[in-house]
Amino acid sequence: MSTFSKFCCIATLTIFAFGLPNGRIALAFELGVGDWQAHGFASQGYTYTSGNNFFGNSRHDGSFDFREIGVNVAGHVYPNLLIAAQGLYRDAGGSDTDNFRLDFANLDYRYPINDESTIGIRLGRIKNPFGLYNDTRDVIWTRPGVTLPQSVYFDALALRQAMIASDGGLIYGRHTFGDHGLSAEFVTANPLDNTGGATEFLTGFPTAPGRMTGRPLLIGRAGYQWKEGRFRLLFSIVDLNRDFRSSSSIVPSGNIKTLYPLASAQLNFEKWSFTAEYGQVITERSESLRTLIPLKNTSESFYVQSEYRFAPAWTALLRFDAFFADIHDRSGKRLAQMTGLPKSNFLSRDITFGLRWTFAKNFMVAADYHRIHGTGWLSLADNPQLLQGAGDPNWDLVTVMFSYRF
């Protein structure tokens, strides 16, 4: 954690005060002209699978190893200067055992140019602006289902934390004209990719002791919206160029380049929402990191979904989600021949039906049923049998989550 991020976290978390009757935690403390508030959430999930494992040992009896708890604090120290931080506890079986972490902690300075245009800068540990959901993906209240589309947002892979946040700076700008709005964000930051799972994912080696170095991570996101979000278009791109310095005589050092462009569209009506995202992960590894996986590879990810708010407290979800490890080999046949593993290891097709019910103020329960072909986005930590070709190609997943927010 950077010194700057630690400062932001301490500066915010030391000003907790008392709870108010309305169920929100607020603060009677003011610094300058800023009013401080704290909010949080606590979510407990359950997963059941007919084959393979998802978020723990979910086969047969199911797993309760799926919980997310967060507390955030934010306030203005000056009219245009915001301090914000969030601590997060997350447990998701073998794919996420980091438990408590600093989710974000930053200073945000916003400068209004005029009534239509604003620019700003954010420094510290920042949430990576990517796609429609990455900024707030740990909060089920902001997700369309219990889980996000796994082809795009990779909850079960060890690279997840590196995708969510980074230590550095973000520059942003917004401009509105009539019913239209434009936005742009650009990040340069140090990626959080020095976890064992992330280095294994990037290098392609099952065990990769060592450290990632190299130039900062670059992220850009540009957006257009009409009538305050009735229609939204986004284009995001991640550019990662890292050097792996091995600490083992068995695993070599090398370079990894990854480019991840993602196009997003959303249409919102009073009762209906329609969403689609399409992305490709373009990866190139140096010759020294040659494994059974090709040195140059492009995977493909996309989903389409609809949400229907058929009653004030009820929402239904329908989604089709697809992932292909090689865009030129959607059947998985070529990769299967190269590796000796089943074709289903290199793809996933997922049809999801979901339902959520906000049964009381700040209380919600959601449930999803998935019918899945393939194991392409499953965690090897929860499913070591996949390396022996023993996974179930056709399987069912049921996820249920109860959540409270304040």
Side-chain angles (χ1 to χ4, degrees), residues 42-46 63-68 400-403:
S43 306
Q44 174 62 52
Y46 169 81
S63 168
F64 286 95
D65 292 338
F66 183 22
R67 61 191 61 88
E68 298 166 328
V400 182
M401 179 164 270
F402 171 85
S403 183

Side-chain angles (χ1 to χ4, degrees), residues 9 12 15 35 101 104 154 177-178 184 214 219 223 236 250 255 270 273 278 303 324 339 367 373:
C9 184
T12 53
I15 56 173
D35 298 324
R101 69 204 65 170
F104 64 84
F154 303 130
F177 49 102
I219 304 175
S236 314
I250 300 175
N255 176 263
E270 181 179 356
S273 292
Y278 176 88
Y303 72 90
F324 304 99
T339 62
H373 171 68

Side-chain angles (χ1 to χ4, degrees), residues 126-207:
I126 57 177
K127 299 304 288 283
N128 294 330
F130 184 73
L132 290 164
Y133 300 110
N134 197 60
D135 311 50
T136 56
R137 62 191 286 181
D138 286 318
V139 186
I140 189 175
W141 296 82
T142 68
R143 302 194 296 253
V146 177
T147 59
L148 287 171
Q150 294 302 292
S151 68
V152 172
Y153 292 99
F154 303 130
D155 279 328
L157 295 181
L159 194 62
R160 181 184 188 277
Q161 185 58 27
M163 289 179 62
I164 291 178
S166 53
D167 291 334
L170 180 152
I171 299 173
Y172 62 88
R174 303 185 182 102
H175 177 70
T176 59
F177 49 102
D179 290 333
H180 309 275
L182 298 174
S183 64
E185 296 150 290
F186 176 75
V187 169
T188 177
N190 184 40
L192 304 179
D193 58 2
N194 271 308
T195 63
T199 54
E200 289 175 17
F201 179 87
L202 291 170
T203 61
F205 282 89
T207 56

Side-chain angles (χ1 to χ4, degrees), residues 58-278:
S58 57
R59 296 171 64 183
H60 308 308
D61 294 331
S63 168
F64 286 95
D65 292 338
F66 183 22
R67 61 191 61 88
E68 298 166 328
I69 303 169
V71 175
N72 59 74
V73 186
H76 288 88
V77 292
Y78 294 103
N80 296 332
L81 182 61
L82 176 75
I83 293 181
Q86 177 166 285
L88 179 71
Y89 176 92
R90 188 174 188 271
D91 181 20
S95 63
D96 192 342
T97 57
D98 286 342
N99 297 327
F100 178 80
R101 69 204 65 170
L102 179 63
D103 192 30
F104 64 84
N106 52 66
L107 288 175
D108 187 327
Y109 178 74
R110 179 176 60 89
Y111 178 74
I113 300 174
N114 50 43
D115 292 340
E116 292 80 28
S117 303
T118 298
I119 59 173
I121 184 170
R122 193 173 300 144
L123 299 172
R125 175 157 294 180
I126 57 177
K127 299 304 288 283
N128 294 330
F130 184 73
L132 290 164
Y133 300 110
N134 197 60
D135 311 50
T136 56
R137 62 191 286 181
D138 286 318
V139 186
I140 189 175
W141 296 82
T142 68
R143 302 194 296 253
V146 177
T147 59
L148 287 171
Q150 294 302 292
S151 68
V152 172
Y153 292 99
F154 303 130
D155 279 328
L157 295 181
L159 194 62
R160 181 184 188 277
Q161 185 58 27
M163 289 179 62
I164 291 178
S166 53
D167 291 334
L170 180 152
I171 299 173
Y172 62 88
R174 303 185 182 102
H175 177 70
T176 59
F177 49 102
D179 290 333
H180 309 275
L182 298 174
S183 64
E185 296 150 290
F186 176 75
V187 169
T188 177
N190 184 40
L192 304 179
D193 58 2
N194 271 308
T195 63
T199 54
E200 289 175 17
F201 179 87
L202 291 170
T203 61
F205 282 89
T207 56
R211 184 171 181 81
M212 290 290 180
T213 62
R215 72 157 169 80
L217 168 72
L218 303 176
I219 304 175
R221 183 172 68 179
Y224 164 79
Q225 69 172 10
W226 175 66
K227 287 194 173 182
E228 298 181 346
R230 176 67 63 87
F231 175 64
R232 301 175 66 196
L233 281 176
L234 288 174
F235 178 76
S236 314
I237 189 164
V238 175
D239 184 0
L240 185 69
N241 188 336
R242 302 290 277 170
D243 295 316
F244 175 65
R245 295 185 178 180
S246 176
S247 60
S248 167
S249 59
I250 300 175
V251 178
S253 299
N255 176 263
I256 305 100
K257 297 183 179 70
T258 300
L259 195 68
Y260 189 177
L262 180 71
S264 313
Q266 188 173 70
L267 185 61
N268 294 298
F269 299 103
E270 181 179 356
K271 291 188 176 182
W272 287 92
S273 292
F274 301 95
T275 306
E277 294 192 275
Y278 176 88

